[in-house]
Amino acid sequence: MKAVVLDTDDRFHLIDIDQPAPGPGEVAIRVQYAGIQWGDVLLRGGHFPVPRPFVPGFEAAGHIVAVGEGVADDRLGQQVTALTSGGAYAEVVVAPAALTFDTFGTDLRTAAGCGWAAPTAYDLINTVGRVRPGESVLIHAAAGGVGSLAAQVARTAGAGRIVGVVKDAQRASYAAQFGYDQLITREEFTQEFTDAPDAPDAPDQELFDLILDPVGGPVRETNLRRLAPHGRLAIYGNLATFEPVALSANDLLMSGKSALTYNSNLLSQTHPDRLAESAREALQLVAAGRIRPDVTAEYEMADLAEAVQRLADGATHGKSVLRIAA
């Protein structure tokens, strides 16, 4: 079968490999579309310790063609989307049955666009952030796959004011379709504190009940200052830098603020049932038309390197997918 592998030269190659067979608790999926995500950038950069050559791809959508021991035969032929630890950039991928979900009638291209972003957005708003009706939410990377879904999920949860932070004005124009009440650039967000270091004490300084932070570095420090009393900072990535940010538990305690983290990959290993529940909830919101992933780019298997580089360069918005089969 055809597959894209990442080899020891840090390059993607389209080659023929043996078709995998599902083991106990697994299913084999004939892939039609695979989602492209930031994990592909990290993988190429050596941040994931995997043996090379390695078939990347962490999000698959297609039909189940084989089941392993312990998986019901009636799942054969089911149209599904799956969260995987790799292998989705191939004609057939093996995935845990527990993390392989019915699409609830959603087409496979859209289902692939949900990927890890949909349960992540759902959990950041409902499980980690625990948004209450009327609360205000600030979302960084507002034009990205997680951010654009999180804004929509926040609205379904009853959030009041939703503000998005984007890289530039072009992304602000794109992100406006997802229901934000206001969009600002990252420069505008940080400049307020460069000009007025005591801004949190100013009466016109807007504070938020929940802030979603995949950025890290100085932005994370600024986010803490933008939290309202009893506000929550939900940390789920380090797009800007892996350098640690020191947080004072005493300062958090005095203001009632909380810093919380979310790691969907770890959750898939420790509590896959929890991740599965959130994924299904998110997929049902998509199927009901209440939220939608925005698939803005589709690539052929031979063009994966270009797709990943564009993502790394910040040249994409919304969600990109790889078409595996017609």
Side-chain angles (χ1 to χ4, degrees), residues 114-131 139 145-157 210 212 234 236 262 264 267 274-286 290-291:
C114 291
W116 290 83
T120 296
Y122 183 88
D123 274 340
L124 287 171
I125 296 298
N126 294 298
T127 308
V128 179
R130 295 186 179 276
V131 169
I139 299 173
V146 173
S148 59
L149 282 166
Q152 300 172 71
V153 174
R155 195 65 75 189
T156 70
L210 174 65
L212 307 189
Y236 68 103
Y262 181 74
S264 58
L267 189 62
R274 296 182 190 174
L275 182 62
E277 181 181 358
S278 296
R280 291 190 183 94
E281 291 287 344
L283 284 165
Q284 290 183 74
L285 287 174
V286 173
R290 300 186 67 190
I291 68 173

Side-chain angles (χ1 to χ4, degrees), residues 240-298:
T241 174
F242 284 91
E243 290 298 315
V245 174
L247 307 179
S248 168
N250 287 340
D251 289 346
L252 294 174
L253 175 63
M254 293 303 295
S255 61
K257 299 176 182 179
S258 299
L260 306 157
T261 64
Y262 181 74
N263 183 330
S264 58
N265 180 59
L266 179 62
L267 189 62
S268 72
Q269 300 169 44
T270 58
H271 298 284
D273 55 324
R274 296 182 190 174
L275 182 62
E277 181 181 358
S278 296
R280 291 190 183 94
E281 291 287 344
L283 284 165
Q284 290 183 74
L285 287 174
V286 173
R290 300 186 67 190
I291 68 173
R292 65 176 181 89
D294 192 31
V295 179
T296 57
E298 180 179 318

Side-chain angles (χ1 to χ4, degrees), residues 296-311:
T296 57
E298 180 179 318
Y299 297 87
E300 300 294 329
M301 293 178 75
D303 299 323
L304 178 62
E306 176 191 351
V308 173
Q309 188 59 51
R310 284 180 57 81
L311 182 60

Side-chain angles (χ1 to χ4, degrees), residues 27-275:
V27 298
I29 301 167
R30 187 164 299 281
V31 184
Q32 186 166 335
Y33 287 98
I36 299 169
Q37 54 132 290
W38 190 253
D40 297 311
V41 177
L42 297 177
L43 179 68
R44 187 190 62 174
H47 294 288
F48 294 161
V50 298
R52 308 254 186 120
F54 177 78
V55 180
F58 305 102
E59 307 165 346
H63 294 86
I64 295 177
V65 294
V67 297
E69 181 183 349
V71 182
D73 288 340
D74 61 7
R75 298 204 68 178
L76 285 169
Q78 184 181 15
Q79 178 171 296
V80 296
T81 182
L83 306 178
T84 77
S85 58
Y89 296 150
E91 292 179 323
V92 175
V93 63
V94 166
L99 294 176
T100 299
F101 318 106
D102 188 283
T103 63
F104 301 101
T106 300
D107 67 273
L108 289 173
R109 188 173 184 267
T110 301
C114 291
W116 290 83
T120 296
Y122 183 88
D123 274 340
L124 287 171
I125 296 298
N126 294 298
T127 308
V128 179
R130 295 186 179 276
V131 169
R132 297 174 178 85
E135 288 193 320
S136 57
V137 181
L138 179 75
I139 299 173
H140 286 272
V146 173
S148 59
L149 282 166
Q152 300 172 71
V153 174
R155 195 65 75 189
T156 70
R161 181 165 162 78
I162 304 174
V163 176
V165 182
V166 293
K167 181 180 179 181
D168 50 38
Q170 181 182 12
R171 281 175 174 74
S173 178
Y174 167 77
Q177 65 183 295
F178 299 112
Y180 290 99
D181 294 298
Q182 182 184 0
L183 286 151
I184 59 176
T185 66
R186 189 178 302 171
E187 180 179 3
E188 291 170 333
F189 176 75
T190 56
Q191 191 65 39
E192 294 180 13
F193 289 88
T194 302
D195 295 340
D198 295 325
D201 297 327
D204 60 347
Q205 180 64 52
E206 185 173 10
L207 303 179
F208 296 89
D209 298 301
L210 174 65
I211 298 178
L212 307 189
D213 179 4
V215 182
V219 169
R220 186 154 297 161
E221 296 173 339
T222 302
N223 284 335
L224 285 168
R225 301 168 65 185
R226 293 297 296 261
L227 283 178
H230 310 291
R232 291 87 65 199
L233 176 63
I235 299 166
Y236 68 103
N238 295 284
L239 293 173
T241 174
F242 284 91
E243 290 298 315
V245 174
L247 307 179
S248 168
N250 287 340
D251 289 346
L252 294 174
L253 175 63
M254 293 303 295
S255 61
K257 299 176 182 179
S258 299
L260 306 157
T261 64
Y262 181 74
N263 183 330
S264 58
N265 180 59
L266 179 62
L267 189 62
S268 72
Q269 300 169 44
T270 58
H271 298 284
D273 55 324
R274 296 182 190 174
L275 182 62

